[in-house]
Amino acid sequence: TEFSQLLSSPQNILGQHLITSACNILCFLQRKVLSNSSNCASRESLKMEPLADCSLLPGEERIIDKDIIYICPFSGALKGKVFITNYRLYFKSADADPAVTLDVPLGAIGRVEKMGGASSRGENSYGLDITCKDMRNLRFALKQEGHSRRDIFDILFKYAFPLSHGLLLFAYLSQEKFEENGWSVYKPMEEFRRQGLPNDKWRVTFINANYELCDTYPTILVVPFKATEEDLRKVCTFRSRGRIPVLSWIHRENQAVICRCSQPLVGMSGKRNKDDERYLDLIREANGTAKLTIYDARPSVNAVANKATGGGYEGDDAYQNAELVFLDIHNIHVMRESLKKLKDIVYPNVEESHWLSSLESTHWLEHIKLVISGAIQVADKISGGNSVVVHCSDGWDRTAQLTSLAMLMLDSHYRTLRGFQVLLEKEWISFGHKFANRIGHGDKNHADQDRSPIFVQFIDCVWQMTKQFPTAFEFNERLLVTILDHLFSCRFGTFLYNCESARDTNELRSKTVSLWSLVNSDLSFYQNPFYTPESNRVLYPVASMRHLELWVTYYIRWNPRIRQQQQSPVEQRYIELLALRDEYLKKLEELQLSDSSPNSSHLSNSSTPNAASPTQHVTHLHTPF
């Protein structure tokens, strides 16, 4: 203002010119600001467009959107718009009522291929074919002129497989915040203390604190009290990948233990190792049994064949105080092919007329049966007071299935919501199941022979148990589906990398969020209303084909013609009754408080000395069940 007053006198022609120029500049800047804000607003509205049905996660950014045709196997060709972010592929149809939507985490995409060419004939023959890891395939069609799919293919390929393009997994970009830190769910020393360890037979060792003994094992291990650090180093040289026998679980009463390890390096020449033989005898001596049972998860013919590659099994001549049992569970390649066959019969169409024979031909339930049957044998042996050693080839696939399922049968703590999280953290994550290799997080190599649904198979076995014992588990089916969805999603750090040493190197705990942060922020969503705590009950599921069933609500959930199993009327009524009970208890508490207030002292004085207090009445309240 002072500047304009100084220069606006009639005598100051230069000042008038300066003011005119300044006004022009101000007008131009004003128009520019308005234009920019308009553009920002339009960009913001464009960004918000897909959020009518789907909110972006903190840290999630939209990369591209495109008009496209979704070739839905159930509803036919649907026009709509696809949005790709750094976390998901989201599609919403424009011409269907109700609208058809897809919400696919990019981590769940296993393969992206171009469909047809510029000269392809036929309607909707040019586009993209997407194979997902969660039992579904997606097909999108685009206009054939002008290389219309090039941009979306390149972006999808880049962000679905970030590690193959030098990018970070989304878990490192996420900015989600939760009240609870899920990384604190599992603390090894706390869990061992809960089991009653260490004791006079078993000790905790920190020999692997820097992953020098075994780079795929955790830092804290429990070993026989009599075994020295030098003994452990010698045994390490005779076990595949250095994965020596270590304690996973101990029975509080009979002191029988589950130990896990990898195969001995016997080889074709039948090598022996006195230190390994003595070490296994120390495990046997710890609970004073005549024989140590070694469960080899493999079929015997596979164990023999492994001698050709330097592996093998514990022979009777070398391990005289041990008995060896083969459990006939097939390897990762057999399981991968079995799930592929299952996918073929459940998506997109279910062939009703030959359903049972088609399901049988996949052998999926047969493999489930063998895993559960093996775990039952382990649990039964422990219940009888005999210690066991469990291994497969390297001790990170079938071994984890058997030990964790046996522990789920033996220990009711692992059947609680938080206890189950501890079980997964301990037996699968800390003991080095190769999640990165088996799932292929962020990796474009879809034909990698290391990929296999070992963990999916384990969760299926858990589901089979929850069906046979509906009141024994604190968690419901939602938790199991959520775990499998985020096994693939790369939204959380929980299932990333192959082992603890790799997670430490990549600063996983400080830079990503745990899945358990999400789960524990809303425990009621994952709770089983029928749960009845039982402290010492051992569960023995029936491992018979007559009692096993396909997990329809997971494997066939994408098919709208297969009705989702809605909450049963009994479960719904039970939840209503529990809510009613809570309401009555709250009212009773309010009455009790008002009864104890000074204004109502005359009421309490008038009651007889023998009258039951409201608190006493509460203990007699039960649901009709």
Side-chain angles (χ1 to χ4, degrees):
T1 305
E2 291 173 359
F3 177 71
S4 62
Q5 288 172 353
L6 178 68
L7 298 180
S8 61
S9 64
Q11 295 82 9
N12 196 334
I13 303 299
L14 177 62
Q16 290 173 8
H17 282 299
L18 281 171
I19 290 171
T20 304
S21 299
C23 287
N24 288 337
I25 291 168
L26 284 170
C27 288
F28 171 78
L29 288 174
Q30 187 177 20
R31 285 197 302 273
K32 193 70 178 172
V33 169
L34 287 171
S35 171
N36 284 347
S37 63
S38 175
N39 289 339
C40 286
S42 64
R43 278 200 298 270
E44 194 61 30
S45 65
L46 195 62
K47 181 180 177 182
M48 293 301 290
E49 189 178 340
L51 305 189
D53 302 285
C54 175
S55 299
L56 294 183
L57 298 169
E60 184 179 3
E61 297 177 357
R62 213 178 103 229
I63 309 298
I64 191 175
D65 64 82
K66 201 172 188 74
D67 290 322
I68 207 165
I69 297 171
Y70 169 46
I71 313 300
C72 177
F74 312 109
S75 307
L78 298 169
K79 290 182 180 178
K81 183 165 279 194
V82 68
F83 300 87
I84 296 175
T85 72
N86 54 353
Y87 171 67
R88 80 182 86 211
L89 177 154
Y90 183 82
F91 170 83
K92 184 176 181 181
S93 65
D95 54 359
D97 188 23
V100 173
T101 60
L102 296 171
D103 189 356
V104 186
L106 297 183
I109 293 176
R111 189 175 185 177
V112 182
E113 294 180 301
K114 293 176 179 176
M115 174 182 73
S119 59
S120 296
R121 294 184 178 181
E123 192 177 12
N124 300 328
S125 60
Y126 174 84
L128 300 175
D129 217 340
I130 300 169
T131 305
C132 297
K133 301 171 184 176
D134 60 5
M135 305 298 288
R136 55 180 163 170
N137 294 339
L138 310 173
R139 179 169 283 197
F140 293 102
L142 295 104
K143 294 177 182 177
Q144 286 177 263
E145 62 269 11
H147 303 287
S148 62
R149 72 179 170 198
R150 181 181 293 168
D151 56 349
I152 194 169
F153 174 81
D154 290 346
I155 284 171
L156 189 58
F157 201 78
K158 178 180 177 181
Y159 285 94
F161 312 118
L163 294 188
S164 296
H165 294 87
L167 300 176
L168 291 172
L169 292 164
F170 180 73
Y172 284 93
L173 304 173
S174 173
Q175 296 171 18
E176 283 188 274
K177 304 291 183 188
F178 296 94
E179 289 184 8
E180 183 173 326
N181 178 12
W183 293 123
S184 64
V185 160
Y186 173 55
K187 295 175 180 174
M189 283 308 302
E190 280 186 14
E191 171 56 20
F192 284 130
R193 277 196 289 269
R194 184 192 69 82
Q195 295 181 30
L197 295 166
N199 58 28
D200 60 345
K201 302 291 185 181
W202 296 90
R203 68 181 180 89
V204 174
T205 175
F206 299 96
I207 190 174
N208 201 42
N210 297 313
Y211 307 107
E212 290 174 359
L213 183 76
C214 174
D215 62 356
T216 61
Y217 261 6
T219 56
I220 297 173
L221 303 171
V222 174
V223 297
F225 193 86
K226 292 181 179 179
T228 66
E229 306 296 76
E230 187 56 33
D231 291 336
L232 302 180
R233 292 189 184 93
K234 289 176 180 176
V235 173
C236 175
T237 63
F238 194 64
R239 290 282 164 174
S240 177
R241 317 281 182 176
R243 294 171 66 89
I244 66 171
V246 292
L247 183 146
S248 272
W249 188 81
I250 185 168
H251 194 291
R252 273 189 173 274
E253 280 74 38
N254 61 37
Q255 295 296 291
V257 300
I258 298 175
C259 287
R260 59 179 296 170
C261 60
S262 60
Q263 65 184 338
L265 300 178
V266 175
M268 292 296 289
S269 61
K271 285 187 290 187
R272 289 182 60 171
N273 184 298
K274 293 291 184 184
D275 296 297
D276 191 75
E277 292 164 23
R278 179 175 169 273
Y279 183 80
L280 288 194
D281 216 38
L282 290 178
I283 294 174
R284 179 193 63 79
E285 285 178 4
N287 76 320
T289 51
K291 288 276 187 182
L292 174 69
T293 304
I294 302 170
Y295 286 107
D296 191 323
R298 302 167 291 184
S300 57
V301 63
N302 292 33
V304 172
N306 276 15
K307 284 187 173 184
T309 56
Y313 55 90
E314 294 85 354
D316 294 340
D317 53 340
Y319 299 86
Q320 295 179 359
N321 293 329
E323 60 171 342
L324 180 65
V325 179
F326 291 104
L327 296 176
D328 297 324
I329 302 169
H330 288 279
N331 63 25
I332 62 170
H333 312 296
V334 173
M335 301 311 179
R336 180 178 60 249
E337 294 308 311
S338 179
L339 189 67
K340 277 184 183 176
K341 290 177 182 176
L342 179 61
K343 182 175 181 176
D344 288 341
I345 71 164
V346 300
Y347 192 91
N349 298 309
V350 176
E351 183 58 59
E352 293 287 346
S353 57
H354 304 99
W355 171 249
L356 291 176
S357 58
S358 298
L359 180 59
E360 185 182 6
S361 69
T362 70
H363 301 293
W364 183 253
L365 290 181
E366 192 178 317
H367 297 315
I368 295 289
K369 170 195 166 183
L370 286 168
V371 173
I372 293 176
S373 176
I376 290 170
Q377 291 183 59
V378 173
D380 191 49
K381 187 66 72 172
I382 292 290
S383 291
N386 286 50
S387 292
V388 303
V389 170
V390 182
H391 71 71
C392 47
S393 297
D394 291 317
W396 49 44
D397 289 311
R398 290 165 281 192
T399 300
Q401 289 179 329
L402 292 168
T403 57
S404 50
L405 282 171
M407 288 155 62
L408 202 60
M409 296 171 192
L410 290 162
D411 192 336
S412 60
H413 174 67
Y414 296 128
R415 304 196 283 265
T416 65
L417 253 165
R418 291 181 183 269
F420 189 64
Q421 296 168 28
V422 169
L423 180 67
L424 299 189
E425 286 282 345
K426 184 166 79 74
E427 288 302 292
W428 289 87
I429 296 168
S430 79
F431 268 107
H433 174 65
K434 297 172 71 175
F435 283 105
N437 288 42
R438 298 293 178 256
I439 306 304
H441 293 127
D443 184 357
K444 68 181 181 181
N445 301 312
H446 59 84
D448 188 346
Q449 291 298 297
D450 269 352
R451 298 200 183 178
S452 189
I454 299 302
F455 185 73
V456 174
Q457 193 174 52
F458 160 71
I459 295 293
D460 193 328
C461 291
V462 175
W463 178 81
Q464 302 287 346
M465 287 182 65
T466 64
K467 292 293 286 183
Q468 293 192 27
F469 302 97
T471 65
F473 294 84
E474 188 184 16
F475 53 86
N476 58 25
E477 183 182 50
R478 279 194 208 100
L479 177 71
L480 301 180
V481 173
T482 299
I483 286 169
L484 290 187
D485 281 346
H486 292 299
L487 170 68
F488 304 123
S489 75
C490 297
R491 177 177 163 187
F492 301 100
T494 303
F495 299 117
L496 301 184
Y497 303 107
N498 286 332
C499 55
E500 287 293 322
S501 60
R503 293 182 189 102
D504 285 355
T505 300
N506 290 279
E507 302 175 81
L508 189 82
R509 287 174 173 257
S510 61
K511 292 186 175 180
T512 72
V513 177
S514 166
L515 170 59
W516 314 129
S517 298
L518 170 77
V519 170
N520 295 335
S521 66
D522 187 11
L523 285 173
S524 61
F525 186 68
Y526 304 102
Q527 282 176 334
N528 169 22
F530 300 118
Y531 174 59
T532 306
E534 295 175 289
S535 57
N536 295 314
R537 184 186 177 195
V538 178
L539 304 183
Y540 289 116
V542 179
S544 161
M545 297 297 283
R546 288 179 292 116
H547 289 81
L548 300 177
E549 55 185 286
L550 185 70
W551 187 7
V552 171
T553 47
Y554 178 71
Y555 297 115
I556 318 186
R557 60 180 164 154
W558 309 118
N559 189 330
R561 292 170 191 158
I562 303 294
R563 284 190 175 276
Q564 291 280 348
Q565 292 179 5
Q566 300 297 327
Q567 195 174 57
S568 71
V570 175
E571 184 176 349
Q572 183 60 42
R573 182 61 180 145
Y574 193 84
I575 291 171
E576 289 171 3
L577 288 168
L578 288 176
L580 195 62
R581 183 195 65 175
D582 291 342
E583 187 182 335
Y584 284 145
L585 286 173
K586 188 177 178 182
K587 286 181 179 177
L588 194 59
E589 190 178 341
E590 288 171 358
L591 286 170
Q592 184 181 358
L593 286 171
S594 64
D595 193 38
S596 61
S597 66
N599 294 334
S600 57
S601 58
H602 65 282
L603 290 174
S604 58
N605 291 336
S606 65
S607 60
T608 60
N610 296 325
S613 70
T615 308
Q616 289 172 311
H617 283 299
V618 171
T619 60
H620 298 292
L621 279 176
H622 298 284
T623 66
F625 294 88

